[in-house]
Amino acid sequence: MKQAGFFDVEERLARLSGLGDQLEAFSRTVDFEVFRPDLEKALAYSDGSKGGRPPFDPVLMFKILVIQTLNNL
């Protein structure tokens, strides 16, 4: 196996798209942004004034949970 190059990410994403990427399928069928207000309200993130690492996007984390559930992970 050869070492990954600088531009291999695009090739890998193109290959995933060709194989039927689940994230792309979900993006076409489900509008996950509808869930953003409820997720932000439930998570109640701080304003960041105390510093620290910014939180992950709540919609992204929700997508991850949906995919994990559908694949029994």
Side-chain angles (χ1 to χ4, degrees), residues 20-62:
D21 188 12
Q22 284 183 336
L23 285 175
E24 289 177 355
F26 284 134
S27 295
R28 285 190 303 267
T29 57
V30 179
D31 181 21
F32 282 99
E33 289 299 321
V34 173
F35 300 106
R36 184 175 295 279
D38 293 328
L39 291 170
E40 288 178 348
K41 184 175 153 186
L43 294 171
Y45 288 135
S46 68
D47 61 357
S49 62
K50 293 184 180 180
R53 186 183 190 288
F56 288 106
D57 181 43
V59 174
L60 173 69
M61 297 305 292
F62 183 62

Side-chain angles (χ1 to χ4, degrees), residues 3-28:
Q3 182 177 355
F6 188 69
F7 297 104
D8 288 339
V9 173
E10 287 92 17
E11 292 174 15
R12 187 172 197 165
L13 290 175
R15 183 171 172 258
L16 278 173
S17 294
L19 293 172
D21 188 12
Q22 284 183 336
L23 285 175
E24 289 177 355
F26 284 134
S27 295
R28 285 190 303 267

